[in-house]
């Protein structure tokens, strides 16, 4: 069985300072996203804080290792293009989306992830492989992959890969951080 988009899992330590930062800007049990603080888009405003600078450095290292698996002889320049926090308590479901406006790598990291807080669903970008003359060739391709959030765990994938988050039915907060990186050869 195969999936046509690279999707990598990784682990990093959870930084309590990021959790504290989030709750200093909102209350538990409230849905909140940091790129809309005061109604303004502030993706990289978080980089003023040491804990986010450390996270960006750590996740860049992870991405470099994953890219090395694809092309071990290439050197890549990476630049952070987006970074935001997502605090979700309710049972809403995100729409299917991709992050084509954040080239080229997207990902999430989970700081708080209670059981049943909503899996991340990564969709096969080539959904239509199950029909037409090539359908027998592509029968073994999955249409979606599911990742169950765990504190300290995360997922990296190409930014054009469609994805969505399923309902948080835990009755507790799920806190994740999302990011985008640009790759230059």
């Amino acid at each position: 069985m195969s999936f046509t988009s690279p999707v990598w899992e990784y682990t990093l330590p959870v930084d309590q300072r990021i959790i504290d930062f989030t709750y200093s800007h909102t209350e538990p049990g409230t849905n909140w996203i940091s790129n809309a603080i005061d109604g303004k888009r502030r993706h990289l405003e978080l980089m003023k804080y040491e804990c986010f600078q450390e996270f960006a450095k750590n996740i860049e290292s992870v991405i470099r290792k994953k890219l090395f698996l694809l092309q071990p002889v290439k050197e890549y320049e990476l630049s952070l293009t987006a970074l935001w926090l997502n605090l979700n308590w309710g049972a809403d479901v995100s729409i299917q989306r991709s992050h084509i406006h954040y080239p080229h790598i997207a990902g999430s990291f989970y700081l708080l992830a209670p059981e049943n807080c909503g899996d991340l669903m990564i969709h096969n970008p080539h959904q239509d492989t199950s029909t037409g003359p090539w359908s027998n060739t592509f029968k073994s391709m999955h249409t979606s992959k599911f990742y169950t959030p765990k504190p300290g765990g995360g997922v990296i994938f190409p930014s054009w890969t469609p994805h969505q988050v399923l309902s948080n039915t835990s009755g507790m907060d799920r806190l994740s951080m999302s990011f985008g990186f640009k790759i230059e050869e």
Side-chain angles (χ1 to χ4, degrees), residues 51-176:
C51 56
F52 295 104
Q53 293 168 11
E54 290 172 12
F55 174 79
K57 181 179 173 187
N58 290 335
I59 196 62
E60 181 177 331
S61 176
V62 169
I63 292 170
R64 284 188 186 286
K65 290 175 186 171
K66 301 304 182 185
L67 290 175
F68 184 81
L69 295 172
L70 292 177
Q71 291 191 332
V73 296
K74 288 227 176 194
E75 283 291 321
Y76 297 97
E77 289 295 319
L78 294 174
S79 56
L80 182 69
T81 58
L83 180 68
W84 69 97
L85 292 161
N86 305 288
L87 182 63
N88 179 268
W89 180 82
D92 61 327
V93 177
S94 73
I95 58 170
Q96 182 174 325
R97 65 183 67 220
S98 57
H99 293 292
I100 56 174
H101 48 289
Y102 302 128
H104 300 102
I105 298 289
S108 289
F109 176 71
Y110 296 94
L111 294 116
L112 299 174
E115 191 172 324
N116 299 316
C117 70
D119 286 356
L120 175 64
M121 188 174 173
I122 309 281
H123 301 283
N124 181 341
H126 305 289
Q127 299 267 347
D128 294 332
T129 57
S130 62
T131 62
W134 296 98
S135 62
N136 287 335
T137 305
F138 295 108
K139 276 190 189 240
S140 64
M141 287 189 177
H142 291 285
T143 57
S144 299
K145 280 188 171 192
F146 293 86
Y147 293 92
T148 301
K150 297 175 193 74
V155 180
I156 301 167
F157 47 87
S159 60
W160 43 262
T161 307
H163 60 281
Q164 70 187 88
V165 179
L166 302 181
S167 295
N168 178 0
T169 60
S170 70
M172 301 169 71
D173 289 337
R174 176 185 66 229
L175 175 59
S176 64

